[in-house]
């Protein structure tokens, strides 16, 4: 384990009030110590690194200038809030980051009064901050509200919907809202230097504001001159800053300024804090700033596991098992080579969805649409209308954001689109915001949409091929990480449409009253098989959630005394519910136990530990079955099963 160096100033910071008492020189020292503490802390726990290294000075400046928590800071996405957590009384709990019962990797209202809005998905900050600003205005409270949003999150339509609304006067005046665009997609270029620093301070200062308002009042009596002056100011700004669009939306634009320069940040923020109305500050930062290895490769250090900061990330001595994401990435390339009509779409998740190699080999058929899930789905629908075969690679939790488009633009028109749903089920350290807990329930209720839940790596490849060749809207759900570690063939074989398979049959004789069948959906097939060995139960790998294999289901229902369904998804409306509905429709009555994710949000933590807490590891499945059906199991005590 690494030993973090001493941090004499940071160790005395227990709240932002302590930050506000520091001198400018001490603030610089604080930023240096904070960055070092952050680096060593994340290296021991894993977590988001590049984005947090880039927001150190901005976080220090915000807590120095604004009176948090009375003034509200709303962080977009929230994966850049580790410095914020450290400065707001959680420094000594950073060793629990993203672990069960530890600190969340994102802002959480239940965790701290300084976390004013819970985030995890992007592009929500301006909407939430506007609501807070108007709430303060309606209640006669004088507080500032600040939304901090990255350039990536600004690609989403929701951000611009909020900007458009924020620039509209409410009850005759604009809300007191500051939007900070944290632009970390480019290096700090020459314009972001002394001249721009001067212009930013000038445009955010009282003299400029007073002169601007005085000129307005004089020139309003001569409309042609007023319009000429307005256009001159707008285009004069546009020659040195890219702020015209924000001015048109009703904001006073300032920047861009160096987001790592406290001497630029603090006076500009102080000026903007005291200005009424809608303000927009553009700061430029660098991902991974202050740690050369992360600066050189911010993507690799976006969300690393544990590592030695002196050495950096190292390749493991033995290659890890291929992940489901890698299986998808290889299939995508192979299918694209076989079919020139394949087009792949991602909403800003090229690396996360395993599409780097596809982008390199088929750049003309690769489309990263930014953080715009709604557009991604309707864009795919348009491609499908022209006879192309779109594959939308999207996390299960992110497809929730495009639900209307899925129904209205794809399913209603019965268009052929493949949805590769990564991160289905629990995701571990990222917690509830990123867990793919609901896709089974929200997909199977839509007409013209099919859903496949493969159990392992080779079956995932076959499921993707099946979905691609079947036609219509078909989703294939698969989890984060690796599975059983089975070899994946290079062929593009299909699964029999709508058919599951028996993987184990009970030795109990018909009529014995001890015949139990487990219906497994997805990778939980393997812990179900382990439990079945201890219980002597039949196990079916159902594969398809929709269409459900009704022939197999009815055969098992007629030949067994009880059924158990197992899925890594929410129980309300899930695969188990589909089985119950099918049995009722067929007039079949027998006891059914449904096992899945409970009706609550699952916290962050180690995935295996979370599954065990939900009773979805082998021991948990066996225990639940023995408790519900003790007579069928022939035992009154619980027999633990080793986890695989």
């Amino acid at each position: 384990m690494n030993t973090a160096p001493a941090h004499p100033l940071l160790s005395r910071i227990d709240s932002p009030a302590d930050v506000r008492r520091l001198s400018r020189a001490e603030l610089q020292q604080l930023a240096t110590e904070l960055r070092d503490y952050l680096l060593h802390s994340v290296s021991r726990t894993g977590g988001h690194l590049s984005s947090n290294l880039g927001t150190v000075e901005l976080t220090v400046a915000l807590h120095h200038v604004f009176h948090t928590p009375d003034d509200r800071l709303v962080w977009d996405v929230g994966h850049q809030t580790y410095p914020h957590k450290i400065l707001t009384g959680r420094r000594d709990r950073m060793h629990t980051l993203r672990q069960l019962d530890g600190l969340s990797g994102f802002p959480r209202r239940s965790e701290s009064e300084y976390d004013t809005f819970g985030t995890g998905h992007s592009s929500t900050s301006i909407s939430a901050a506007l609501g807070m600003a108007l709430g303060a205005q309606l209640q006669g409270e004088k507080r500032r509200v600040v939304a901090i949003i990255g350039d990536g999150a600004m690609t989403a339509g929701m951000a611009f919907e909020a900007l458009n609304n924020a620039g509209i006067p409410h009850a005759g005046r604009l809300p007191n809202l500051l939007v900070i665009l944290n632009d970390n997609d480019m290096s700090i270029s020459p314009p972001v230097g002394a001249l721009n620093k001067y212009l930013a301070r000038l445009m955010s200062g009282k003299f400029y504001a007073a002169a601007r308002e005085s000129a307005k009042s004089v020139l309003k009596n001569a409309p042609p001159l007023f319009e000429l002056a307005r256009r001159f100011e707008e285009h004069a700004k546009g020659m040195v800053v890219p702020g015209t669009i924000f001015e048109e939306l009703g904001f006073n634009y300032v920047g861009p300024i160096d987001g790592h320069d406290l001497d630029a940040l603090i006076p500009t923020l102080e000026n903007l804090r005291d200005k009424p109305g809608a303000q927009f500050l553009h700061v430029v930062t660098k991902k991974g700033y202050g740690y050369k290895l992360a600066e050189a490769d911010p993507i690799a250090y976006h969300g690393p596991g544990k590592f030695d900061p002196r050495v950096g990330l190292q390749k493991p001595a033995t290659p890890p098992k291929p992940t489901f994401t890698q299986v998808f990435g290889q299939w995508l390339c192979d299918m694209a080579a076989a079919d020139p009509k394949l087009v792949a779409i991602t909403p800003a998740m090229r690396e996360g969805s395993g599409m780097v190699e596809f982008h390199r080999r088929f750049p003309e058929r690769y489309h990263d649409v930014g953080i715009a899930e709604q557009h991604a789905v309707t864009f795919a629908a348009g491609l499908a209308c022209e006879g192309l075969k779109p594959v939308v690679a999207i996390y299960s939790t992110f497809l929730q954001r495009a639900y209307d488009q899925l129904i209205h633009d794809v399913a209603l028109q019965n268009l052929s689109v493949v949805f590769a749903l990564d991160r289905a089920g629990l995701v571990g350290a990222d917690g509830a915001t990123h867990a793919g807990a609901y896709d089974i329930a929200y997909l199977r209720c839509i007409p013209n949409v099919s859903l496949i839940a493969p159990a392992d790596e080779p079956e995932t490849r076959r499921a993707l091929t099946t979905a691609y060749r079947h036609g219509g809207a078909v989703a294939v759900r698969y989890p984060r990480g690796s599975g059983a570690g089975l070899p994946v063939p290079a062929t593009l074989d299909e699964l029999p449409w709508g058919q599951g398979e028996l993987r184990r049959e009970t030795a109990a004789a018909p009529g014995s009253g001890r015949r139990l069948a487990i219906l497994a959906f997805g990778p939980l097939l393997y812990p179900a098989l382990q439990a079945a060995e201890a219980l002597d139960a039949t196990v079916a790998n159902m594969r398809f959630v929709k269409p459900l294999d009704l022939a197999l289901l009815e055969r098992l229902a007629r030949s067994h005394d009880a059924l158990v369904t197992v899925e890594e998804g929410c129980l309300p409306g899930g695969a188990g519910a589909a089985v119950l509905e099918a049995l009722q429709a067929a007039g079949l009555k027998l006891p059914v136990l449904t096992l899945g994710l409970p009706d609550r949000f699952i916290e962050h933590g180690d995935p295996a530990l979370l599954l065990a807490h939900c009773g979805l590891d082998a021991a948990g499945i066996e225990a639940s079955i023995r408790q519900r059906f003790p007579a069928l199991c022939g035992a009154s005590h619980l027999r633990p099963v080793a986890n695989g």
Side-chain angles (χ1 to χ4, degrees):
M1 179 179 289
N2 302 313
T3 302
H7 304 94
L9 183 56
L10 179 62
S11 64
R12 306 202 310 266
I13 303 299
D14 296 317
S15 74
D18 298 324
V19 178
R20 290 192 280 273
R21 286 191 284 266
L22 298 180
S23 67
R24 193 72 60 83
E26 288 174 317
L27 290 174
Q28 187 57 62
Q29 180 187 343
L30 176 63
T32 300
E33 292 185 16
L34 178 57
R35 177 169 281 108
D36 186 77
Y37 186 92
L38 173 67
L39 173 61
H40 285 82
S41 177
V42 175
S43 73
R44 290 194 294 269
T45 62
H48 293 101
L49 183 61
S50 295
S51 54
N52 283 289
L53 290 173
T55 58
V56 167
E57 287 82 7
L58 179 59
T59 305
V60 168
L62 284 168
H63 281 297
H64 179 73
V65 172
F66 291 92
H67 287 264
T68 55
D70 187 55
D71 288 337
R72 313 296 199 217
L73 301 184
V74 183
W75 297 87
D76 212 285
V77 182
H79 65 314
Q80 75 280 43
T81 54
Y82 298 179
H84 163 80
K85 288 176 181 279
I86 294 169
L87 295 179
T88 54
R90 289 168 277 182
R91 178 188 64 243
D92 295 336
R93 293 189 64 210
M94 285 297 290
H95 68 281
T96 70
L97 185 71
R98 295 166 27 110
Q99 299 167 42
L100 188 63
D101 299 324
L103 291 180
S104 170
F106 301 94
R108 296 186 66 183
R109 284 172 54 84
S110 61
E111 187 177 288
S112 170
E113 63 179 335
Y114 293 94
D115 292 0
T116 60
F117 196 76
T119 52
H121 288 187
S122 83
S123 315
T124 61
S125 61
I126 305 175
S127 297
L130 176 60
M132 294 176 184
L134 284 174
Q137 179 178 310
L138 288 170
Q139 298 176 87
E141 298 171 344
K142 292 185 178 180
R143 63 162 53 98
R144 298 299 306 194
V145 182
V146 184
I148 305 100
I149 184 169
D151 56 289
M154 283 292 290
T155 63
M158 184 174 177
F160 283 91
E161 291 171 17
L163 287 172
N164 182 60
N165 189 210
I168 300 171
H170 297 265
R173 59 193 178 100
L174 290 171
N176 292 329
L177 173 67
L178 170 60
V179 175
I180 298 178
L181 171 59
N182 177 28
D183 186 348
N184 56 27
D185 195 39
M186 60 180 178
S187 61
I188 298 173
S189 52
V192 189
L195 176 60
N196 242 65
K197 184 191 302 186
Y198 170 75
L199 287 171
R201 294 180 66 175
L202 176 68
M203 288 189 291
S204 66
K206 292 181 179 178
F207 173 78
Y208 174 82
R212 191 172 187 258
E213 293 306 311
S214 296
K216 276 186 180 181
S217 63
V218 171
L219 293 174
K220 276 185 177 177
N221 295 321
L225 292 177
F226 175 78
E227 179 63 17
L228 179 63
R230 187 192 67 78
R231 292 189 178 186
F232 177 79
E233 179 197 39
E234 177 182 290
H235 292 289
K237 275 188 176 183
M239 286 189 290
V240 290
V241 295
T244 303
I245 185 173
F246 303 110
E247 294 273 349
E248 291 289 349
L249 288 169
F251 284 78
N252 175 48
Y253 175 92
V254 175
I257 63 172
D258 185 346
H260 300 297
D261 184 352
L262 288 171
D263 290 331
L265 280 171
I266 290 174
T268 302
L269 286 172
E270 288 173 339
N271 286 335
L272 292 173
R273 178 194 60 197
D274 299 330
K275 288 176 66 66
Q279 310 295 324
F280 192 101
L281 175 62
H282 183 175
V283 303
V284 177
T285 61
K286 187 176 181 64
K287 289 181 180 178
Y289 185 77
Y291 182 51
K292 296 300 183 185
L293 295 175
E295 287 185 27
D297 193 352
I299 293 176
Y301 286 87
H302 171 71
K306 299 177 183 180
F307 69 99
D308 185 342
R310 296 169 300 179
V311 179
L313 299 179
Q314 301 291 304
K315 290 184 178 180
T318 57
K321 294 187 294 185
T323 65
F324 284 93
T325 301
Q326 290 170 330
V327 171
F328 164 73
Q330 185 60 58
W331 171 85
L332 189 65
C333 290
D334 294 345
M335 185 57 78
D339 187 351
K341 290 190 174 183
L342 185 150
V343 179
I345 302 165
T346 176
M349 296 304 297
R350 185 188 70 158
E351 287 77 17
S353 293
M355 301 175 73
V356 174
E357 181 63 15
F358 180 87
H359 184 197
R360 186 189 68 80
R361 290 179 55 186
F362 306 98
E364 72 284 356
R365 290 193 269 163
Y366 168 83
H367 297 275
D368 183 344
V369 300
I371 303 177
E373 294 87 357
Q374 294 171 308
H375 165 61
V377 173
T378 304
F379 173 47
L383 289 166
C385 286
E386 297 303 315
L388 294 167
K389 305 188 75 172
V391 176
V392 180
I394 188 168
Y395 290 7
S396 168
T397 184
F398 295 156
L399 185 56
Q400 295 165 185
R401 309 186 80 183
Y403 196 56
D404 178 66
Q405 288 70 25
L406 176 63
I407 296 173
H408 186 273
D409 300 335
V410 175
L412 186 61
Q413 303 183 92
N414 200 21
L415 295 172
S416 293
V417 180
V418 174
F419 294 94
L421 296 190
D422 204 326
R423 273 61 168 180
L426 300 179
V427 293
D430 283 337
T433 59
H434 285 60
Y438 309 109
D439 55 76
I440 294 177
Y442 73 63
L443 286 174
R444 77 175 191 87
C445 63
I446 306 173
N448 296 334
V449 175
S450 301
L451 176 60
I452 312 177
D456 50 39
E457 301 91 335
E459 196 164 85
T460 297
R461 183 177 173 95
R462 295 179 67 193
L464 289 163
T465 302
T466 305
Y468 185 80
R469 291 176 177 164
H470 178 73
V474 186
V476 179
R477 75 184 310 259
Y478 48 89
R480 182 179 189 175
S482 56
L486 301 179
V488 181
T491 54
L492 293 169
D493 299 326
E494 299 179 40
L495 296 171
W497 182 257
Q499 294 183 29
E501 61 170 358
L502 282 182
R503 293 291 292 266
R504 187 187 189 281
E505 292 197 60
T506 178
S512 65
R514 293 189 55 195
R515 290 178 63 84
L516 176 77
I518 303 174
L519 284 61
F521 295 85
L524 290 186
L525 168 69
Y526 287 92
L529 284 168
Q530 286 183 264
E533 287 297 322
L535 298 165
D536 185 27
T538 295
V539 178
N541 174 22
M542 296 302 290
R543 290 175 171 164
F544 288 80
V545 178
K546 185 182 179 183
L548 198 62
D549 189 341
L550 297 178
L552 177 58
L553 173 60
E554 291 185 19
R555 178 154 55 94
L556 293 173
R558 295 182 188 280
S559 59
H560 290 74
D561 301 293
L563 300 180
V564 179
T565 65
V566 182
E567 62 190 296
E568 194 173 343
C570 66
L571 283 172
V579 168
L580 291 170
E581 292 163 9
L583 291 173
Q584 183 184 41
L588 296 171
K589 296 182 180 180
L590 77 164
V592 179
L593 170 63
T594 59
L595 300 178
L597 298 180
D599 189 19
R600 67 174 188 271
F601 293 112
I602 307 300
E603 300 297 327
H604 51 276
D606 177 77
L609 185 60
L610 294 178
L611 281 174
H613 277 225
C614 294
L616 294 177
D617 61 346
I621 293 170
E622 181 189 350
S624 295
I625 294 173
R626 287 187 181 279
Q627 183 176 18
R628 175 68 183 276
F629 302 121
L632 273 68
C633 303
S636 58
H637 64 280
L638 304 183
R639 180 152 49 115
V641 177
N643 289 321

